Every structure is written in structure tokens, then in C-alpha cells.
Amino acid sequence: MIKLYNTMTRRKEIFKPREGNKIKMFVCGPTVYDHSHIGHARTYISFDVIVRYLKYSGFTVFYLQNITDLDDKILKRAEEIGSSPLELARRYEEKYLQDMKVLGVENVNFYARATEHIPEIINQIKILVKKGFAYETDKGVYFDEAKFKEFGKLSNRNLEELNVHRIGPDTSKRNPGDFALWKKRKIESEELEMVWDSPWGTGRPGWHIEDTAITDTYFGPQYDIHGGGLDLIFPHHEAEIAQMEAASGKNPMVKYWMHTGFLNVKGEKMSKSLGNFITINDLLQEYSPDVFRFFVLSTHYRSPIDFSQEILHQSQQGLQRIYKLIETINELLDENTAISMENDQEYIYKLSEVRKEFFEAMDNDFNTPSAFSTIFDIIREVNRDINDSNISKNALTKLKALIIEFGIVLGFDFSLKNENEQELQEDLIELLKDVRSKLREKKEWDLSDEIRSRLKELDIVLEDKST
RNA sequence: GCCAAGGUAGCUUAGAGGCGAAGCGGUGGACUGCAGAUCCAUUACACGGGAGUUCAAAUCUCUCCCUUGGCUCCA
């Protein structure tokens, strides 16, 4: 039984899809005008694991994500660098998809581009106008917040509050907080790209409408999970609720709202002006994707997470512990080591307990830190028994399988398969190791140490066994 | 000002009324020709301050202090 925290009710709820075991899930995708940063990575890795676990738990998940490829930021950026907006958008979309692939985010079933859903967007706006929730001005078409009584229910705000702190409100709007559904083209300044014809003249959609048009297209007016970063709660998700529920007359649009916490850099929000903006590219120069994934999953998805070199290093060390154990097990299974079978039955039972704890942690709002905690608990125990030669090969095999299984759920490959391209390199290392062991037989320590230290310069670490 | 999320051992994080955690790091030891990994011990009678509820509070209530974020685009 999975419990998840619903931002709408501000509490954990028992998860039950609207229909059977089918889940319709939508997560807000990026605006493709620049490289994706590690904050994006945090969010999408979190949802990747959530989807992995939902699937693992027997649900069928359709995971939909939008790509915002029409937006003021894209136009601005395109102008700056003298590129076509659409080309720019496609370029960064491709980059985003590459980044996600490298990070092991691979569960999105469909990426829906905003520009490919213009008719659906126009149609939704038409409905809102017809039902009296939207009105046209000479600047565009706006959603009338005052008409939607429940506006603010997700972010826990009311209209008075929302209207207080807006400086210099646009007087052509009925309420200061009314947001654009359709922006009319400003004749002089704008390019001809990224404008479309509509009943309200040429122009382009507002920010919020693409998501509801897309979800309505593929899911209908009601679906199970909507996710995104914490910063999207207001105004973006609030606006989505207003649009969709007003248009369809059905409530609620979404059964469960899930939001990921921020990634900060040294306690501060990441921003270009502070100079602490780190792209996924930058990150991968120094750390492998799985170290970053481990770093992300070491904190609960809703908590803020602080990024620094030191913490990444800690993550690297922690993750190594898991890989080391698998490596040790592989060696033990390969060798003709005599290991005791005494507590075999006890182990089988123990492993089933570990599995249970792992799933309890994940069931509890996808508590990955707690899940890792159970993994480390068993690792410590097993290491002790390996040291004491008090474990059977059967138990080791089962343990290895279990950890690999956990890895699949969390998005790691703990199986350490030999890649073809690595084979030669590995053979060469074997050769050096052989030579070195002969030197060691002859107690040629200087030379054997030199081999070890020079391999270390190449990031290849040899660890001698005590025999 | 309003709304949110937080303050748990040196660092990073779980937990959410009673049996007190995990990782990283430090120190000492076992094992090693050395190093590393691993194990053991220790750092560690940890839960921001103060009141209250309770047989029992990191956990609930109140209050105060501090941090971060949102209220304009943002994952």
C-alpha cells in the first residue's frame, strides 16, 4: 500500500488510481531556451524513481511530459543570439533529452510539444470564453480569477491576498491577478515565427494553457498525478486547476499533486546572477550520473537539498560502499572459497525482512533515504559475516540479486556488467596485475608499488588482499 | 506583511509519542611488507530556546529565536 503526500490536502494519503491500476501522470517539463541545470535534474530524477517504483508495484503508468517550446524567454534568447526561435527550442530540447538519457531518466512515455497542440489550446480558450471564465481585451484573452471561486486552493491563498502586492497592475484586466490565455501579437516588435491565427487574431498562447490542453488531449479532464517543482505551485499549477476545472466543470482535475523540493547551492537558490548556476553538463564533467542520482535520492524528494562539492564527495563514498560489496560478492562466488553454510536459513529470512523494510520505506511517500538506510544495514551485517567467513554462497547469491533488484527500482545498475569497449582496457589491467603479483612474490616492493601508484594516477585503484 | 518548508551527533540526511538512526568524516584497534577495502570500538547520554499536554515528547500544543523559499519567470 503506497502512501504519498498530496500538496492539495497537505497530508499523506493512501494512493489509489482513479481507474483500476492504471495511472495517468503528468509532470511539467522544461522551457527549452537554455541548458538544463542540476535543479531540473533533481526533479526529474525524483519523478523517475517515483515512476519506477509505481511500475514495480504493479501499476501501469502513462508518464506524460510537456516541452514548452513557445515562450517569451525563447524569443528573447533567440533574438540575442540571432537564431530562429524554433531552431533554438529544438536544439535545447534535444540537449535536454540527451541529459535525461545520460542521467538514466527513461520512463517518460511521451513528450508533448506546446507548438504541436495549438488547435487544442485554442479550443480550450474558446470554451473558457464561452462559459464566461475568460474575456478578451485589446492585449489578449485573460482568465477571470474572480469567476473561479476556488482559485488559490492549491497554494492556500485567496484573491484579496493575491491582489495586494501587485505593483502597477495592468488596468485593462478585470483583476490584477488575471493571467493570459492568449497573447495578441504586438505588430511592430515581434517576429513572424511563433505566432498563430486564432479567433482573437494572430498571437500565441499564455504560459499555463499548454499543460491543460495537453493533459486534456491525452488524459481527459481528470487524471491521477500531476508533478513538478515546488516553485510551480503558484501561479502555474493554480492556473492549471482554474482553467481545466472551469472548462470541464469537473473537479478535481488531479487526484494527487506532487512537488519536489529545491536544489540549493551552498544554502542559496541557484541563479545565474549569483554565479552558482550549474548545468547538467558541468556536473557530469566531475561526477558520474549515478553519484548524482545517489546524492539526489539521499534526501527525500520533498525536502530541500543542498549541493556542494563536499556533499557530492560524501555521496560518492557512500555509493562506493554498495558497489564494493557487489564486487566482493562476485569475487567470493568466483573463487573456490570455502564459506560456511551455517546460518543459511537465517539469511534467507533476514533477506526477506530487508526486502520488506525496503518496500515499506518506498511505500511511505517514496522515502528513498530510508530505503538506502535499510540497504546499508544489511551491507554492514553481510560484511561482518564475510569477514568471519560465516555466510553461504547461496545467501550471497540471493543478497546480490536483491541489491541488484533494489538498484533497478532506484535506477542504478549494480550488476557491474563488463562492457565490450572496456574489455581491452580490463585485459591490460589484468596483465599489469599479473606482472605485479609476480613482482610481489619476489618481494620487489618498489617496482610493484610504482605500478600501483601509476595506475592510481590513471584512476585505477588496486587493492591488495591480505593473505 | 502574507503563504510555505525547515532547524536531529563534525558534515549530509531518515524518523514522527515509549525500544533512540543511516551514510560521510575524525580517532584508536584488528587485518596488512606498505596502502586500500572490510570489521570492532570511540567521537555519539543527537533532536534551536522556553513553557505546556501526557505515565511517557525529536515526535503533540503554545510561544520565541534563526535559516531558506514563494508572493514577478523558474524544476
Side-chain angles (χ1 to χ4, degrees):
Chain A
M1 185 171 69
I2 294 174
K3 281 194 199 166
L4 55 80
Y5 183 89
N6 187 349
T7 310
M8 183 62 87
T9 57
R10 309 263 164 192
R11 67 176 75 153
K12 283 182 199 168
E13 296 178 11
I14 292 170
F15 177 70
K16 194 173 179 301
R18 300 180 71 255
E19 291 169 28
N21 71 343
K22 291 198 183 91
I23 300 172
K24 294 171 178 171
M25 173 165 165
F26 177 81
V27 171
C28 288
T31 302
V32 281
Y33 74 107
D34 202 347
H35 290 282
S36 301
H37 56 69
I38 55 178
H40 297 110
R42 191 264 165 106
T43 291
Y44 298 122
I45 287 173
S46 296
F47 282 110
D48 178 65
V49 170
I50 287 168
V51 172
R52 280 169 189 268
Y53 188 67
L54 289 171
K55 285 181 176 171
Y56 191 79
S57 301
F59 293 104
T60 305
V61 185
F62 193 96
Y63 179 6
L64 177 67
Q65 201 173 97
N66 69 305
I67 298 280
T68 301
D69 58 353
L70 58 89
D71 177 270
D72 289 349
K73 288 196 290 288
I74 294 173
L75 291 171
K76 195 178 158 209
R77 192 68 197 277
E79 204 182 318
E80 280 167 16
I81 64 168
S83 156
S84 125
L86 207 59
E87 270 174 33
L88 180 92
R90 290 293 175 266
R91 195 159 73 234
Y92 283 113
E93 174 188 305
E94 195 184 334
K95 190 75 192 66
Y96 168 73
L97 296 176
Q98 273 172 14
D99 285 342
M100 290 302 116
K101 198 174 171 192
V102 172
L103 290 171
V105 173
E106 54 196 20
N107 283 293
V108 178
N109 291 279
F110 186 62
Y111 290 99
R113 289 172 177 160
T115 52
E116 289 170 1
H117 296 80
I118 302 296
E120 290 87 347
I121 289 170
I122 289 172
N123 189 45
Q124 194 165 83
I125 299 173
K126 271 191 201 163
I127 294 169
L128 288 169
V129 171
K130 192 178 165 196
K131 288 194 170 182
F133 287 102
Y135 58 91
E136 185 178 358
T137 74
D138 55 355
K139 288 181 181 167
V141 181
Y142 291 89
F143 188 90
D144 187 343
E145 278 184 352
K147 292 276 168 57
F148 188 73
K149 295 288 176 283
E150 291 184 303
F151 197 88
K153 64 180 175 179
L154 181 66
S155 56
N156 193 19
R157 291 160 208 237
N158 58 46
L159 272 183
E160 294 92 74
E161 281 167 13
L162 290 174
N163 291 339
V164 169
H165 287 278
R166 286 173 196 268
I167 303 156
D170 182 346
T171 48
S172 67
K173 294 195 289 188
R174 291 182 190 168
N175 310 287
D178 288 354
F179 52 89
L181 299 170
W182 189 262
K183 295 175 174 174
K184 293 184 180 175
R185 179 182 164 198
K186 294 177 210 125
I187 312 286
E188 325 81 45
S189 60
E190 285 184 27
E191 302 193 25
L192 291 174
E193 260 193 276
M194 292 215 169
V195 284
W196 291 265
D197 289 328
S198 82
W200 317 281
T202 54
R204 63 173 182 278
W207 176 34
H208 313 295
I209 194 76
E210 65 176 72
D211 286 351
T212 48
I214 286 168
T215 55
D216 192 27
T217 303
Y218 301 99
F219 292 163
Q222 295 182 290
Y223 55 99
D224 299 294
I225 298 174
H226 186 125
L230 201 64
D231 48 344
L232 295 179
I233 293 176
F234 187 89
H236 185 53
H237 290 162
E238 207 67 79
E240 283 192 51
I241 291 171
Q243 287 162 1
M244 195 67 247
E245 293 185 3
S248 72
K250 286 182 181 158
N251 176 330
M253 167 174 87
V254 167
K255 198 170 176 188
Y256 305 96
W257 285 91
M258 300 184 75
H259 293 96
T260 52
F262 272 117
L263 182 148
N264 297 317
V265 176
K266 289 175 185 161
E268 286 175 315
K269 190 183 172 179
M270 186 167 48
S271 73
K272 286 183 177 169
S273 54
L274 284 169
N276 59 359
F277 191 88
I278 303 168
T279 67
I280 294 171
N281 253 349
D282 297 338
L283 171 86
L284 295 175
Q285 298 300 314
E286 282 196 70
Y287 294 96
S288 67
D290 55 350
V291 168
F292 186 74
R293 181 175 278 259
F294 182 80
F295 161 77
V296 166
L297 301 181
S298 296
T299 304
H300 186 80
Y301 75 88
R302 279 189 283 116
S303 299
I305 187 169
D306 200 55
F307 180 92
S308 73
Q309 294 290 327
E310 192 199 341
I311 300 166
L312 256 273
H313 180 75
Q314 287 187 9
S315 299
Q316 194 163 36
Q317 296 304 327
L319 183 62
Q320 273 303 312
R321 205 174 156 79
I322 301 175
Y323 282 114
K324 289 278 187 206
L325 177 71
I326 299 289
E327 222 176 287
T328 307
I329 291 177
N330 283 342
E331 282 166 15
L332 287 173
L333 292 177
D334 275 353
E335 290 167 11
N336 289 319
T337 331
I339 5 184
S340 160
M341 302 264 287
E342 272 175 37
N343 59 3
D344 195 59
Q345 281 309 310
E346 193 190 319
Y347 250 99
I348 305 306
Y349 174 76
K350 202 178 274 175
L351 292 182
S352 74
E353 288 295 297
V354 168
R355 167 194 275 274
K356 207 174 115 194
E357 275 177 44
F358 179 88
F359 290 110
E360 271 169 12
M362 292 300 287
D363 277 348
N364 182 16
D365 197 24
F366 312 99
N367 194 329
T368 50
S370 185
F372 272 114
S373 195
T374 70
I375 294 177
F376 284 117
D377 281 337
I378 188 68
I379 285 178
R380 194 171 0 86
E381 274 195 64
V382 168
N383 272 327
R384 185 163 47 222
D385 289 331
I386 289 175
N387 260 23
D388 298 345
S389 295
N390 186 28
I391 188 165
S392 71
K393 290 196 175 185
N394 180 33
L396 286 174
T397 308
K398 289 205 159 67
L399 175 78
K400 183 183 158 189
L402 187 66
I403 290 180
I404 288 171
E405 183 185 334
F406 290 163
I408 292 167
V409 175
L410 298 171
F412 296 90
D413 183 6
F414 292 135
S415 64
L416 291 175
K417 281 175 202 148
N418 282 353
E419 301 291 331
N420 284 338
E421 55 198 27
Q422 288 184 346
E423 267 177 24
L424 175 65
Q425 185 192 332
E426 278 166 9
D427 288 347
L428 289 171
I429 293 168
E430 278 307 314
L431 183 80
L432 276 171
K433 276 161 78 178
D434 286 347
V435 169
R436 191 169 160 272
S437 63
K438 279 170 191 159
L439 285 169
R440 289 179 71 230
E441 272 170 31
K442 295 176 183 170
K443 300 197 190 292
E444 297 269 9
W445 306 129
D446 284 353
L447 205 49
S448 66
D449 284 5
E450 189 188 329
I451 292 173
R452 183 172 60 191
S453 63
R454 287 184 62 181
L455 280 173
K456 197 180 176 184
E457 282 169 25
L458 302 170
D459 278 322
I460 295 161
V461 180
L462 294 187
E463 290 163 10
D464 293 340
K465 278 219 202 71
S466 56
T467 34

